[in-house]
Amino acid sequence: MSDVAIRVEKLSKKFLLGERLGYRTFRETLQDLFTAPFRYYRTRKNGIPAEKVDTDREIWALKEVSFEVKHGEVLGIIGPNGAGKSTLLKILSRITEPTEGYAEVRGRVGSLLEVGTGFHPELTGRENVYLNGAILGMSRAEIKRKFDDIVSFAGVEKFIDTPVKRYSSGMQVRLAFAVAAHLEPEILIVDEVLAVGDAEFQKRCLGKMDEVSRSGRTILFVSHNMAAVEALCSRAMLLHSGTVESLNNTASVLNEYQNRIRKPFQGQEGVWKLQIGGERIRRLISQVVLTSDGSHPTTAIYPHSPLLVDVSFRTTGTPFNPVLGVVIKTVTGLPILGIDNRIVPGYEFPLARAGTVRIAFHSLPLLPGSYYIDVYLGDRVRSLDALRDTILLDVLSADIYGTGRLPPANAGPVAWTARWSFRGDNSSSL
């Protein structure tokens, strides 16, 4: 038996701008059949090829997408809005037909593509659990057996006999996810379920998907939450404009995605120049410079090296006491450290309309990898300007412990030292 759960070969999906989706009546079909020759003659008469009319309206949501997913694998699918992620999942869920190519899905599929899909607003939560479970392929006996677990997981016990139209969007997605997760599918397809709901529910979702993956089932997970993708997925696929840009281990694909979407302003490596004014939010930060030795701008350092962050500002408004805050985080958005001179004593600066504030890290304890440095400029009360997800710092590999070995990839982002000791037990014998 093949270990491939999903095989996709040159899958493409075309949409026409202005096309009306849905069922067509018999009368509309006949009308199109009889008017087609006249439309063809009219376009030829005007010197416009008939095929050109449709080509101008074509949008390819997917174009020759190919990949395989093995049984028990968790594949993260990432990319900007409009990349074709949701279209791909709808095809794999048999909601939408492809224009070209094919996909083989081997196993029972559970899909959670949109909040409350299949829910009837006038029915109660209890009735919708049975209705949605039946739509997903569960028998009534199976739903009845799992009903208490579904309701408990969703956390809507008090409202289970209330019409769904009175539920918040968060309550609806919790109940919808609970039904899909308890379907016990061989393949679970999830699209942006973590975009709605509180932190507790998101943690519960991740725990459930991790439980599903550890039971040997397959998950396709679409999310803009890069930290969740990194934690859950063994591989990731980057979609861009309907094509596969990258398919590799999760860390590699996330780095590629972050490098693609960041918008640097630097004129040289390590220098970010920004346009003052002319924006909806007036900009105060004019330049950010990274150095390690205080003179040469850089975007790469070694573990435990110094890092100096110089932030220049200028304003024509009221002078203020400049406060510089820095947050260092992974490319997936996980904060590692954050600090500003508002909370550290002894660093209150005089009123100024222009100047440069420097924060110096004398030994930055980061392991090799890529990191964002977010900067926040404000006064003693509030933040006035910020630069996020733009300043990228690479920490290079090095033998930081002097043993000839590099730190393992799963050691996390922090480079730290420790001491070990051993006290033997002389009474023990081999």
Side-chain angles (χ1 to χ4, degrees):
M1 181 178 177
S2 173
D3 64 344
V4 176
I6 300 173
R7 176 178 286 111
V8 174
E9 289 288 342
K10 296 186 176 180
L11 198 67
S12 300
K13 178 62 180 179
K14 177 178 66 177
F15 294 100
L16 293 180
L17 295 175
E19 181 182 33
R20 187 181 69 180
L21 300 179
Y23 296 104
R24 299 181 61 78
T25 64
F26 181 65
R27 176 181 177 179
E28 289 172 331
T29 303
L30 284 179
Q31 183 177 350
D32 283 350
L33 180 65
F34 283 110
T35 58
F38 298 101
R39 289 200 305 270
Y40 179 82
Y41 172 75
R42 184 167 59 252
T43 56
R44 297 295 293 183
K45 181 180 178 181
N46 294 332
I48 304 173
E51 61 272 15
K52 179 66 175 177
V53 176
D54 288 336
T55 302
D56 290 340
R57 299 169 53 208
E58 290 179 357
I59 296 293
W60 288 91
L62 295 173
K63 191 65 176 177
E64 296 189 348
V65 171
S66 300
F67 64 94
E68 290 184 353
V69 183
K70 295 183 178 180
H71 286 288
E73 185 178 4
V74 182
L75 178 68
I77 303 176
I78 62 175
N81 292 329
K85 304 184 297 295
S86 296
T87 300
L88 174 61
L89 295 194
K90 288 179 180 179
I91 292 175
L92 297 179
S93 301
R94 300 183 178 91
I95 296 173
T96 302
E97 291 185 355
T99 305
E100 298 173 0
Y102 71 93
E104 296 179 7
V105 181
R106 301 170 182 172
R108 185 183 186 185
V109 177
S111 301
L112 184 58
L113 303 183
E114 295 178 6
V115 177
T117 300
F119 276 19
H120 194 294
E122 298 296 335
L123 300 180
T124 65
R126 181 186 304 274
E127 292 165 337
N128 270 296
V129 167
Y130 280 91
L131 173 63
N132 201 242
I135 292 173
L136 292 174
M138 300 171 69
S139 66
R140 184 174 181 83
E142 187 179 3
I143 299 172
K144 185 176 182 180
R145 186 174 70 254
K146 299 176 181 178
F147 182 82
D148 291 340
D149 291 337
I150 292 172
V151 176
S152 176
F153 184 90
V156 295
E157 295 93 332
K158 294 181 180 180
F159 311 100
I160 194 62
D161 291 310
T162 301
V164 166
K165 66 182 180 181
R166 297 195 176 98
Y167 284 20
S168 67
S169 59
M171 292 170 65
Q172 288 188 42
V173 77
R174 290 204 304 267
L175 191 57
F177 181 87
V179 175
H182 286 80
L183 173 64
E184 295 184 0
E186 294 170 277
I187 300 172
L188 180 62
I189 297 177
V190 182
D191 186 6
E192 279 298 352
V193 69
L194 297 182
V196 181
D198 54 28
E200 180 187 358
F201 169 69
Q202 293 178 10
K203 182 178 179 180
R204 200 179 307 172
C205 286
L206 285 173
K208 186 64 178 179
M209 286 188 284
D210 184 54
E211 177 187 327
V212 170
S213 65
R214 283 188 283 105
S215 66
R217 287 174 281 176
T218 308
I219 298 178
L220 292 187
F221 180 49
V222 167
S223 180
H224 288 287
N225 186 329
M226 297 296 104
V229 173
E230 183 180 45
L232 187 67
C233 305
S234 54
R235 281 200 308 158
M237 180 170 68
L238 172 59
L239 285 179
H240 183 76
S241 300
T243 61
V244 178
E245 290 283 311
S246 179
L247 179 59
N248 207 330
N249 64 76
T250 303
S252 173
V253 175
L254 290 181
N255 279 334
E256 184 173 342
Y257 180 44
Q258 294 293 339
N259 288 336
R260 171 183 285 276
I261 65 174
R262 73 187 182 98
K263 301 175 180 178
F265 296 91
Q266 68 260 47
Q268 66 181 95
E269 282 295 302
V271 180
W272 284 261
K273 293 182 180 294
L274 290 86
Q275 184 69 36
I276 297 291
E279 301 180 8
R280 185 173 59 86
I281 300 176
R282 190 167 183 82
R283 172 129 274 155
L284 300 179
I285 299 174
S286 59
Q287 180 174 277
V288 179
V289 180
L290 302 184
T291 61
S292 184
D293 59 4
S295 59
H296 299 92
T298 184
T299 57
I301 63 172
Y302 287 101
H304 290 299
S305 294
L307 179 69
L308 310 179
V309 182
D310 290 332
V311 178
S312 300
F313 67 93
R314 185 172 69 252
T315 179
T316 57
T318 305
F320 61 96
N321 301 105
V323 170
L324 173 62
V326 169
V327 174
I328 300 179
K329 61 187 184 182
T330 66
V331 291
T332 60
L334 177 67
I336 300 171
L337 65 89
I339 194 168
D340 66 50
N341 57 295
R342 183 188 300 121
I343 61 176
V344 179
Y347 292 102
E348 183 168 350
F349 302 119
L351 292 169
R353 285 195 175 92
T356 298
V357 187
R358 167 179 287 182
I359 181 170
F361 298 95
H362 296 293
S363 177
L364 201 60
L366 295 178
L367 283 177
S370 296
Y371 302 89
Y372 276 128
I373 299 181
D374 292 353
V375 297
Y376 301 82
L377 183 69
D379 55 22
R380 305 300 298 180
V381 178
R382 64 195 184 281
S383 177
L384 301 174
D385 195 6
L387 194 59
R388 304 180 184 90
D389 298 338
T390 298
I391 304 171
L392 193 67
L393 175 71
D394 290 321
V395 178
L396 307 175
S397 295
D399 178 16
I400 61 176
Y401 300 116
T403 61
R405 298 180 179 180
L406 298 179
N410 61 352
V414 179
W416 209 250
T417 57
R419 296 189 177 202
W420 283 259
S421 62
F422 172 74
R423 185 171 57 192
D425 185 355
N426 294 327
S427 65
S428 64
S429 58
L430 297 178

